[in-house]
């Protein structure tokens, strides 16, 4: 039986592993080796966010392509076919945020490695994580955990004050891992952001400064590129 908390999943294009998970989201790290690409695939039931941490990549859809550099992000709706290729000599270092958590929610349209009609890899493709693999621990309220990873600084915070978001630098990239921002209407809180949402602070702050707060215990990840 698969144990994604402690194992790496080997892929013909590289490898991936789970770096954080709660009841709403799974955060996976993908390393794609130079010149290799994932299958052209979709997720019929879940939404996916991709963040390129380091290297360069090309994401292809059925109709077009997009070049990605460090801290570029793409939100992929359910059912949208896509493929990611590493186009730099160092490969591509990618975060994948899935909502909801379901690794079996996978349909491959085509695949250069012969996996077109196959499900997600089983435990025969797994090996134990190494010491340099990232695993994110949830911080206590008001605590900030800091990790150095893939030429980035990752700050994970549990907050109950929207001012924490308002004070972020514009170039910071924010991922909501739990909770979210709210607007109160007639005594009812409406979630404006939900777990799995990704955005640059310059945009998130335009929204946050007009809202009423965050759900208590909201967890955010802030990604800052070194240099």
């Amino acid at each position: 039986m698969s144990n994604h908390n402690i194992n790496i999943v080997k892929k013909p294009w590289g490898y991936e592993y789970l770096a954080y998970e709660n009841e709403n989201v799974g955060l996976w790290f993908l390393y794609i080796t130079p010149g290799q690409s994932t299958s052209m695939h979709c997720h019929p039931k879940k939404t996916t966010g991709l963040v390129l941490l380091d290297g360069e990549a090309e994401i292809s859809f059925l109709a077009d392509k997009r070049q990605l550099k460090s801290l570029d992000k793409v939100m992929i709706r359910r059912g949208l076919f896509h493929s990611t290729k590493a186009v730099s000599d160092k490969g591509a270092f990618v975060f994948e945020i899935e909502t909801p958590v379901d690794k079996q929610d996978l349909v491959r349209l085509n695949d250069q490695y012969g996996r077109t009609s196959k499900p997600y890899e089983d435990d025969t493709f797994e090996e134990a994580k190494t010491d340099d693999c990232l695993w994110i621990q949830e911080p206590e309220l008001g605590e900030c955990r800091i990790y150095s990873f893939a030429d980035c600084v990752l700050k994970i915070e549990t907050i109950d004050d929207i001012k924490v978001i308002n004070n972020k630098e514009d170039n910071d990239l924010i991922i909501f891992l739990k909770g979210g921002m709210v607007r109160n209407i007639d005594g009812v809180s409406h979630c404006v952001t939900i777990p799995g949402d990704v955005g640059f602070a310059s945009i998130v702050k335009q929204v946050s400064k007009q809202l009423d707060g965050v759900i208590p215990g909201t967890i955010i990840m802030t990604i800052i590129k070194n240099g």
Side-chain angles (χ1 to χ4, degrees), residues 8-225:
I8 292 171
V9 181
K10 296 178 290 184
K11 299 279 193 170
W13 44 258
Y15 63 86
E16 67 180 22
Y17 63 80
L18 184 67
Y20 171 84
E21 184 179 55
N22 61 37
E23 64 274 15
N24 300 120
V25 301
L27 177 68
W28 287 73
F29 171 70
L30 286 63
Y31 175 68
I32 306 172
T33 54
Q36 302 302 307
S37 64
T38 67
S39 61
M40 179 63 72
H41 66 281
C42 78
H43 308 291
K45 299 177 182 177
K46 67 187 178 187
T47 298
T48 303
L50 295 178
V51 176
L52 185 67
L53 299 173
D54 199 19
E56 297 178 21
E58 178 181 83
I59 185 165
S60 298
F61 306 97
L62 296 181
D64 58 4
K65 298 180 180 181
R66 179 180 167 188
Q67 302 298 314
L68 303 179
K69 61 183 186 304
S70 293
L71 292 199
D72 280 345
K73 58 95 175 177
V74 180
M75 295 300 297
I76 300 171
R77 61 168 174 79
R78 62 178 185 82
L80 181 63
F81 282 100
H82 61 285
S83 175
T84 307
K85 179 179 181 179
V87 295
S88 63
D89 291 341
K90 64 171 63 176
F93 301 75
V94 181
F95 270 160
E96 177 184 70
I97 308 98
E98 59 173 13
T99 313
V101 179
D102 184 0
K103 291 308 286 184
Q104 303 307 317
D105 181 36
L106 170 68
V107 175
R108 295 184 175 109
L109 187 65
N110 55 64
D111 177 65
Q112 62 179 315
Y113 312 108
R115 302 174 301 161
T116 299
S117 299
K118 294 182 179 180
Y120 186 77
E121 284 77 5
D122 62 23
D123 59 4
T124 63
F125 292 87
E126 295 179 9
E127 60 185 29
K129 286 182 177 178
T130 57
D131 291 340
D132 60 349
C133 289
L134 175 69
W135 179 254
I136 294 169
Q137 299 283 347
E138 285 194 0
E140 300 294 329
L141 182 62
E143 181 185 8
C144 177
R145 292 183 178 269
I146 300 176
Y147 301 84
S148 180
F149 184 73
D151 202 30
C152 295
V153 175
L154 314 177
K155 296 183 178 180
I156 295 84
E157 303 166 88
T158 301
I159 64 174
D160 61 3
D161 190 339
I162 204 167
K163 290 180 181 178
V164 175
I165 295 173
N166 296 342
N167 292 332
K168 296 294 181 182
E169 297 294 330
D170 285 351
N171 290 333
D172 293 350
L173 192 67
I174 297 174
I175 302 175
F176 287 87
L177 298 177
K178 183 179 289 187
M181 303 187 297
V182 298
R183 163 60 56 82
N184 298 322
I185 302 174
D186 291 336
V188 178
S189 293
H190 297 263
C191 292
V192 177
T193 58
I194 62 173
D197 284 346
V198 182
F200 281 103
S202 58
I203 303 300
V204 177
K205 291 192 297 182
Q206 291 183 42
V207 178
S208 67
K209 291 177 180 178
Q210 308 300 320
L211 296 179
D212 297 312
V214 296
I215 297 171
T218 288
I219 300 178
I220 59 172
M221 172 188 286
T222 307
I223 305 177
I224 304 165
K225 188 67 179 177

